[in-house]
Amino acid sequence: MILVKRTAEPAYLKKRAATWLLDLRTARKNKDKVLYKKIEARYRSTAVREALDKMFSGKCAYCEVVIAVVATGHIEHFRPKQKYPSLTFRWENLLLGCPTCNDGAHKGTKFPKARQNGPFIDPTREEPSKHIDFIYDPLSKLVLAKARTHRGQLVIETFGLNSRPDLLHSRTNYIRTLLAIKPEETTNQEYAELLAKARSGRTPYHAWINALGI
Ligand SMILES: [Zn+2]
């Protein structure tokens, strides 16, 4: 998880969000569930998906896996639209999320009550490393997230940042490969390119690349 600067709201959404919200409220008032669902889904537009994809360099806002270009459905509401319907079309509430972070076993529609920003960390509003340390554990030889705060712990547990085997192995293999490159080898073009690409931010697990000084 890394801090990401939010880009400007796509014109497509800006132009339509207010009307969509009015339509949504009318459908709710009329208790028309079918229409409500149809209107609610309007945020799933190519323009929004493309803007988020660019903003997050194609990576999940929470676990930093690269999301396949064809996975169009994973526009994530930081505050769940089921609990905060007025934020369904709010650009500032939208993130790019991978299918696993977004599923019911992980974040899903969870959003426990908190007084301020929390409980979870919106990486466009807060620096995640204030809450989570991104470490290489020499004992287990695993690349792990380690909580610095209560909210950091909640995020690690909810999103399974240390408990999803696929994520843990992919991340560990990637970072271990980078860590194993010796300084003298960076004159080798292949290694130099690998490091340059890793530092560019478009590759996965950038939080560790920053924290470990790769
Ligand atoms: Zn994810």
Side-chain angles (χ1 to χ4, degrees):
M1 218 177 176
I2 49 167
L3 185 69
V4 172
K5 192 173 161 31
R6 184 169 286 278
T7 51
E9 181 176 12
Y12 179 88
L13 184 65
K14 204 173 179 178
K15 225 167 135 184
R16 293 164 176 81
T19 314
W20 288 352
L21 190 58
L22 282 177
D23 291 348
L24 197 67
R25 284 181 174 150
T26 307
R28 187 174 55 188
K29 217 169 128 193
N30 295 337
K31 296 189 168 66
D32 190 337
K33 284 185 184 171
V34 176
L35 184 63
Y36 186 96
K37 281 281 159 204
K38 216 172 148 183
I39 295 165
E40 188 191 51
R42 286 176 181 166
Y43 72 88
R44 290 190 195 129
S45 72
T46 308
V48 174
R49 176 65 173 75
E50 280 177 359
L52 288 171
D53 189 62
K54 205 169 168 196
M55 185 162 101
F56 287 97
S57 299
K59 296 185 290 181
C60 173
Y62 302 117
C63 73
E64 277 202 88
V65 300
V66 173
I67 302 172
V69 180
V70 287
T72 52
H74 301 293
I75 297 169
E76 143 76 3
H77 290 80
F78 179 67
R79 288 179 186 264
K81 58 186 182 305
Q82 296 83 350
K83 289 182 180 161
Y84 300 88
S86 65
L87 301 180
T88 305
F89 310 115
R90 180 80 60 84
W91 173 240
E92 289 75 17
N93 191 43
L94 301 180
L95 304 173
L96 191 68
C98 77
T100 312
C101 283
N102 232 341
D103 71 21
H106 297 95
K107 180 166 177 274
T109 58
K110 296 182 195 89
F111 203 81
K113 283 220 180 314
R115 266 182 299 170
Q116 270 189 325
N117 297 329
F120 301 133
I121 298 160
D122 175 350
T124 66
R125 287 175 190 268
E126 285 187 87
E127 171 56 74
S129 64
K130 279 188 183 164
H131 299 279
I132 301 172
D133 261 340
F134 302 97
I135 61 157
Y136 173 69
D137 175 30
L139 278 180
S140 64
K141 295 187 167 49
L142 291 172
V143 172
L144 299 171
K146 193 170 168 237
R148 295 168 72 109
T149 63
H150 176 71
R151 283 175 60 207
Q153 185 60 33
L154 183 73
V155 166
I156 292 169
E157 284 171 11
T158 305
F159 293 86
L161 295 186
N162 288 336
S163 56
R164 285 153 52 187
D166 289 2
L167 176 65
L168 198 56
H169 290 130
S170 148
R171 191 172 73 206
T172 294
N173 288 340
Y174 183 67
I175 298 295
R176 271 161 73 175
T177 305
L178 296 176
L179 284 173
I181 299 174
K182 296 173 183 63
E184 64 271 20
E185 288 174 347
T186 53
T187 50
N188 173 312
Q189 201 184 341
E190 194 188 334
Y191 287 133
E193 277 174 12
L194 188 68
L195 280 178
K197 201 176 160 204
R199 288 166 182 158
S200 74
R202 277 204 69 87
T203 46
Y205 319 126
H206 215 69
W208 284 267
I209 290 169
N210 288 338
L212 298 169
I214 291 171

